[in-house]
Amino acid sequence: MNAVDDLRAEHEGILRMLGIMRVMAERIGHGRKIPAGHVESVIDFLQLFADQCHHGKEEDIFFPELERAGIPHEGGPIGVMLYEHTLGREHIRAMVEASARLGDIGGEGYQDLRAAMLDYSGLLTRHIAKENEVLFALAEKVFSPGAIEALHERFEQLERERIGSGVHEAFHRLLDELAAEYRA
């Protein structure tokens, strides 16, 4: 596996979680509570796997290497991706704040959680499509196969440092468990 394949594979896991979140939001919209533990698990996944690990690989390694290869930051795709990462973090913060106020299903906590989940899901779905279709194609043009392999090694090290060994696999098990519950 190379660095671009690694990022694409992580996108698949993130997209799977976004599908789970949409089902959760739909249930909330139909007046059904979501177990607090499930909400916490989704937020953990988004904060640790999607943001610290995946976006960390992009922001700390991948995007700087793209810039060194001549892809512009300002006025280019990298600037857009970074801006969307910031927006995503704001939506995650809104989910954290709403989850602290869950109570009655008709209350503001659940409604704010639902809105933040739908906003984040929409943003990240579009964001991932742009990266998969535009940014990764650019990377495969400007990086040599050897450079892409070397980036993969750096990604592996970042993952070990940020989330630890075995956590990636644990998140995939979580995805399987939640997908079974939420049919996503």
Side-chain angles (χ1 to χ4, degrees):
M1 180 175 289
N2 67 42
V4 174
D5 292 337
D6 185 37
L7 294 174
R8 280 189 179 114
E10 288 178 357
H11 280 170
E12 291 305 311
I14 294 167
L15 288 168
R16 197 167 177 210
M17 181 58 82
L18 299 178
I20 291 164
M21 289 169 56
R22 284 190 293 275
V23 173
M24 288 178 165
E26 182 180 318
R27 287 187 184 179
I28 293 168
H30 288 107
R32 295 176 58 194
K33 287 188 172 188
I34 303 298
H38 290 181
V39 174
E40 290 171 18
S41 293
V42 167
I43 290 170
D44 285 346
F45 177 92
L46 298 177
Q47 289 176 323
L48 295 174
F49 183 78
D51 194 38
Q52 287 184 28
C53 182
H54 178 77
H55 290 159
K57 290 174 184 177
E58 291 176 342
E59 293 173 2
D60 296 350
I61 299 169
F62 192 66
F63 295 165
E65 290 299 327
L66 284 172
E67 285 184 64
R68 278 191 268 289
I71 305 299
H73 176 123
E74 294 302 320
I78 296 169
V80 172
M81 297 300 103
L82 289 168
Y83 174 69
E84 291 178 355
H85 287 181
T86 300
L87 290 178
R89 288 180 186 113
E90 290 173 13
H91 293 312
I92 293 170
R93 241 186 323 277
M95 283 182 243
V96 169
E97 290 170 6
S99 71
R101 296 182 286 112
L102 295 181
D104 181 58
I105 188 64
E108 284 184 15
Y110 267 107
Q111 297 316 306
D112 291 349
L113 177 65
R114 179 178 185 271
M117 285 179 150
L118 291 173
D119 289 345
Y120 183 85
S121 177
L123 172 73
L124 259 284
T125 299
R126 292 184 302 274
H127 175 85
I128 287 170
K130 287 183 241 180
E131 285 186 344
N132 284 349
E133 296 166 15
V134 177
L135 201 62
F136 295 166
L138 281 172
E140 291 172 329
K141 287 180 184 174
V142 300
F143 292 148
S144 70
I148 292 176
E149 292 296 327
L151 287 176
H152 178 70
E153 294 303 317
R154 291 173 62 194
F155 283 0
E156 292 295 309
Q157 179 165 347
L158 181 141
E159 186 170 319
R160 284 189 301 274
E161 291 170 0
R162 296 267 170 101
I163 65 171
S165 298
V167 176
H168 192 122
E169 294 76 14
F171 278 129
H172 280 284
R173 287 190 299 277
L174 171 68
L175 283 171
D176 290 341
E177 292 167 14
L178 290 175
E181 174 72 25
Y182 295 95
R183 305 284 182 241

